[in-house]
Amino acid sequence: MNEFCELNGNYAKESNGSHAESKDAQLRSGQHKYSEQCMDIERKFMEMASSEESNSSWVPLTAMKQPYPITVQGHKDKPFCFRVVFYAPTAPGTAFDLLASVLRRPEWDELTESTKIIESLGPGDAIHYVKMKPVWPTAARDSLLLSHLAKVQANGRPGYLNVSQSIEDARVPEYKQAGIVRMEAGIAGQLITDVTEREREQLELASGSWCKVVQIADGDLRGWIPKSVIKFIATQALPRSLTKVCKQLTLMTPNSESQLLAGSQTLANSAPRPVISREENQQLALSVHKRPAVTSRRSRKWVLWLRVLARYAAPAIIAVVTSLVFQIIAGRRYVGRRR
């Protein structure tokens, strides 16, 4: 089911009738309070995704050709900014519908724990909540995003754009008591186009439908992040997730046109304005607080000692055990020879 229609049964009730009519008119025209911001992040994303900038601002981090061509680049001046280019074995519409569907993101992104639509703003625009899994030894993170979907022109070719940026909303405050760090996304999303014949020949792509995906992730993860975690995300987690995406796409029917974007346009002609209910917001808060932060001093000390043990003592223990095993094997061989 199209996720933009998920909230059709949870409409917000306006106390003032004329106010409701003005919001209805905004929804029908596609205008809302974030309209200008949506146009701005669309422009910025297209600039960052352009091939011209890739030659000067990005440095290669990792690349793979099999099973699917994937290249990960890091921005020279931004430690948390990555540009990923990969080729998926399907048509642009199908790839866009999977990657742009926030409710389906946990299916392929191994770092995403849960997602939710907070509000549908109009055709292609919505507010999303995304909670990420913790990567040891860091805390879990979440983000509140303004999402913008659009059909665009990229280098003279039609394409689909899914871009998002962090915003603040009183309905979804930071969950600091639960030990969750609120990330800030500057620009994040994907641009999806058909592959050219030149790309198909250079990459030796198999016959059938293929599309090119340019993904940008630019933001501030906030809090303490070891360099090893950043390297793990860029060189291992991202390629693994995208390989999983490609495998999933091979099982789906290729469609050049997006069903997701068509559904959001249909929703724009409906009224009243869909908004997440207060009960759902409470459920969201409860789900986030299922795993509360460690509060007692004794618990914090145990967690600290376990982290120290895992980081410094574990390698020494492994080395000792390995040495003992080799000594036992050598001793048995010696006894066997004497016999």
Side-chain angles (χ1 to χ4, degrees), residues 19-282:
H19 186 51
E21 289 176 4
S22 65
K23 287 195 171 184
D24 181 26
Q26 274 190 337
L27 185 62
R28 291 179 186 277
S29 65
Q31 297 296 315
H32 50 79
K33 67 177 182 178
Y34 293 109
S35 294
E36 290 186 6
Q37 185 174 346
C38 286
M39 293 300 100
D40 184 56
I41 61 177
E42 177 179 322
R43 177 186 56 80
K44 289 181 179 178
F45 185 95
M46 297 299 289
E47 290 176 356
M48 295 179 72
S50 67
S51 57
E52 290 78 9
E53 185 179 347
S54 66
N55 297 327
S56 59
S57 301
W58 306 90
V59 293
L61 297 178
T62 186
M64 56 185 288
K65 291 185 177 180
Q66 298 294 334
Y68 307 101
I70 300 174
T71 302
V72 181
Q73 301 170 311
H75 200 280
K76 292 192 305 184
D77 305 319
K78 301 177 182 180
F80 301 119
C81 183
F82 304 103
R83 182 181 189 269
V84 184
V85 180
F86 70 99
Y87 294 83
T90 191
T94 303
F96 177 79
D97 286 350
L98 178 61
L99 293 171
S101 172
V102 68
L103 298 180
R104 299 186 65 182
R105 181 168 170 173
E107 294 179 18
W108 57 268
D109 187 353
E110 64 178 39
L111 296 178
T112 299
E113 180 174 306
S114 61
T115 59
K116 200 172 188 71
I117 298 175
I118 302 302
E119 181 176 350
S120 181
L121 299 169
D125 301 336
I127 298 175
H128 296 160
Y129 174 79
V130 179
K131 184 185 176 188
M132 310 300 290
K133 298 175 183 176
V135 178
W136 191 89
T138 64
R141 279 163 168 73
D142 67 358
S143 57
L144 186 65
L145 302 169
L146 170 64
S147 174
H148 174 62
L149 310 182
K151 201 168 184 177
V152 296
Q153 288 289 322
N155 297 324
R157 290 183 293 160
Y160 289 105
L161 174 67
N162 163 36
V163 62
S164 58
Q165 187 175 58
S166 286
I167 59 171
E168 294 182 0
D169 194 308
R171 293 171 298 178
V172 189
E174 295 187 34
Y175 301 111
K176 294 181 180 179
Q177 292 183 349
I180 299 174
V181 179
R182 178 63 53 90
M183 297 186 300
E184 181 179 352
I187 294 287
Q190 301 97 11
L191 171 65
I192 305 174
T193 58
D194 259 321
V195 296
T196 63
E197 288 301 321
R198 183 180 179 183
E199 289 170 334
R200 186 184 288 271
E201 292 176 4
Q202 287 180 340
L203 298 169
E204 298 179 348
L205 301 176
S207 59
S209 299
W210 285 86
C211 64
K212 178 181 179 180
V213 183
V214 179
Q215 177 168 314
I216 302 290
D218 176 24
D220 185 352
L221 299 181
R222 299 286 179 88
W224 176 69
I225 300 287
K227 290 184 178 180
S228 59
V229 173
I230 299 174
K231 184 179 179 180
F232 165 78
I233 293 174
T235 61
Q236 296 185 47
L238 268 176
R240 276 207 304 261
S241 293
L242 298 178
T243 298
K244 189 175 181 180
V245 167
C246 292
K247 289 180 179 178
Q248 190 170 343
L249 288 171
T250 60
L251 306 176
M252 303 169 66
T253 303
N255 290 312
S256 297
E257 298 298 322
S258 166
Q259 305 296 317
L260 182 67
L261 197 55
S264 71
Q265 297 286 346
T266 302
L267 183 61
N269 296 323
S270 64
R273 184 179 190 177
V275 174
I276 190 170
S277 65
R278 180 172 296 181
E279 292 75 15
E280 285 184 304
N281 268 304
Q282 291 174 349

Side-chain angles (χ1 to χ4, degrees), residues 289-319:
H289 284 81
K290 280 183 180 177
R291 284 181 279 178
V294 179
T295 54
S296 67
R297 279 187 187 174
R298 184 174 297 178
S299 298
R300 281 199 294 266
K301 286 182 179 179
W302 274 109
V303 171
L304 180 61
W305 278 110
L306 286 172
R307 287 184 176 179
V308 172
L309 180 66
R311 185 169 184 176
Y312 298 105
I317 294 172
I318 293 172

